[in-house]
Amino acid sequence: MTARVIDGKSVAADLRASVARRVAAAGFTPGLAVVLVGDDPASAVYVRTKDRAAREAGIEARTIRLPADTPQDLLLQQIAALNADPSVDGILVQLPLPKHIDTYTVIASVDPAKDVDGFHPFNVGALADGRPKLVPCTPLGVMKLLAAAGIATSGARAVVLGRSTIVGRPMAALLLAADATVTIAHSRTRDLPGECRRADILVAAIGKPEMIQPDWIQPGATVIDVGINRLADGRLVGDVAYAAGAEVAGAITPVPGGVGPMTVACLLENTVTAAQRRRGG
Ligand code: NDP
C-alpha cells in the first residue's frame, strides 16, 4: 500500500486565505504581539515566519525583542502593558524562555482572552472541560488536517504519542471532544509499538527522529507526524520513518509540509477569533 499524502501546505494556504477574508470583512485590524526573549536562532526563525504570515493576512504584527538576561519582573510588566493595550488582540510569548524565567508564571500572566497560544491555565482548563475557548495551535491544526482529509474521528481509536502541554495533552483532549477513543503514550509506556499498532489515528509528537517504524503502524491507519527533528546532515525529519511508514499507512503527513504550516495558520485564526470575541463578535 502507498499512503495518501495529507498536504499541510495546501490546507494551511486555504486556512490563511479564509483568515485574510475574515480580516478584510471585519472592519478593523486585529493586532498580534509576539514577545521574544533572548537570541535562540530557531525561535527567531519561528517569530519571523509568524510575523510575515500575520502581515500577509492583514493582521498588524509587532515583535517585542528583549535581551536574554531580562529579569522576570520586567517581562511580566511588558505583558501587563500588552494586556492593557486595546490595539493588541493576541499575545504570544515565544518558548522556550531563558532558564531564570518561570514559564508557567509568564504564561499565566497573559490575559486569557488574548492567549492565542491557548496555554493559559484558564484555556487549558476550558479545553479539558470540553468547553474550548482558545485552543493550542498545533493540535488545532492537526484536527483541521484530519477534517480536510476526510478522516472520521468519531469512534476511531486514536493514539497520541507524547504528553506535553503544548502538543500531546491538548491533542488528546481535542480527539476526545471529537468522539475518538484516546490513548496517550509516553516515555514510560510499556510496549509502545503494540500501543501504536492499535491506532486508527496515530499522532506522533515526541521529538525523536524517525523512531516510529512501519511495524508500529496498523495497515491503513492515518499517521500524523508532529515531530520536527534536524539531523546532523541538515535534513529535517519527523518522528515517523516516513518512506517506510507510507508503505503501511492509509494516509500520512510529511515533514516538512505537514503539521508545521497548520500551526502558523491556526495562530492567525486564533488571533482573528480573539479579536472578534473581544469586540463582542
Ligand atoms: P516535549 O519534549 O515537550 O515532549 C515530548 C513528549 O514525548 C514527552 O511527553 C515525552 O514523554 C515523550 N517522549 C520522549 N521520548 C520518548 C520515547 N522515546 N518514547 C515515548 N515517548 C517519548 O516535546 P513537544 O511536545 O514540545 O514537541 C514534540 C515534537 O513536536 C518535537 O519534535 C517538536 O519539535 C515538534 N513540534 C512541532 C510543532 C509543529 O508546528 N509541527 C509545534 C510544536 C512541537 P515523557 O512525558 O514521559 O517525558
Side-chain angles (χ1 to χ4, degrees):
M1 180 188 297
T2 303
R4 181 158 60 96
V5 176
I6 302 175
D7 181 357
K9 266 198 224 163
S10 142
V11 180
D14 289 348
L15 179 56
R16 284 161 60 162
S18 114
V19 169
R21 284 195 297 276
R22 267 174 78 186
V23 172
F28 59 85
T29 305
L32 171 67
V34 179
V35 182
L36 176 61
V37 186
D39 41 23
D40 177 59
S43 292
V45 171
Y46 289 140
V47 166
R48 270 203 302 278
T49 306
K50 289 167 184 172
D51 191 87
R52 191 179 336 114
R55 282 168 201 279
E56 280 170 16
I59 293 168
E60 192 179 307
R62 73 171 94 146
T63 303
I64 293 107
R65 289 188 172 75
L66 300 171
D69 61 356
T70 301
Q72 178 165 311
D73 280 355
L74 209 69
L75 175 59
L76 293 176
Q77 279 172 27
Q78 181 70 64
I79 293 170
L82 294 171
N83 285 342
D85 184 339
S87 73
V88 173
D89 295 294
I91 302 170
L92 182 155
V93 181
Q94 183 64 41
L95 302 179
L97 289 167
K99 291 212 165 21
H100 68 279
I101 293 176
D102 181 55
T103 303
Y104 187 83
T105 302
V106 171
I107 287 172
S109 77
V110 173
D111 178 349
K114 297 188 178 186
D115 170 40
V116 284
D117 254 342
F119 296 162
H120 187 284
F122 173 83
N123 285 317
V124 173
L127 177 59
D129 210 13
R131 299 160 187 268
K133 303 283 184 213
L134 288 167
V135 173
C137 302
T138 300
L140 181 60
V142 171
M143 295 308 291
K144 288 178 186 291
L145 275 183
L146 291 173
I151 309 292
T153 51
S154 181
R157 233 186 256 276
V159 174
V160 178
L161 200 40
R163 56 175 165 178
S164 73
T165 51
I166 293 174
V167 188
R169 286 168 201 249
M171 185 74 254
L174 286 172
L175 285 163
L176 183 62
D179 297 326
T181 303
V182 184
T183 300
I184 307 177
H186 46 78
S187 67
R188 306 297 169 91
T189 297
R190 279 200 307 264
D191 186 19
L192 211 50
E195 290 294 344
C196 292
R197 255 191 313 271
R198 295 182 338 132
D200 303 314
I201 299 171
L202 177 62
V203 181
I206 53 177
K208 300 286 171 203
E210 300 180 327
M211 183 167 147
I212 289 112
Q213 294 297 310
D215 63 340
W216 296 31
I217 299 169
Q218 180 194 140
T222 299
V223 177
I224 306 289
D225 193 351
V226 180
I228 302 177
N229 309 287
R230 179 78 64 186
L231 298 183
D233 64 9
R235 271 190 311 132
L236 213 56
V237 298
D239 291 342
V240 180
Y242 179 77
E247 293 299 316
V248 181
I252 192 165
T253 60
V255 176
V259 176
M262 293 303 294
T263 298
V264 179
C266 287
L267 170 68
L268 306 182
E269 186 182 61
N270 275 354
T271 303
V272 181
T273 299
Q276 287 180 324
R277 285 194 191 142
R278 278 177 12 86
R279 289 165 176 81

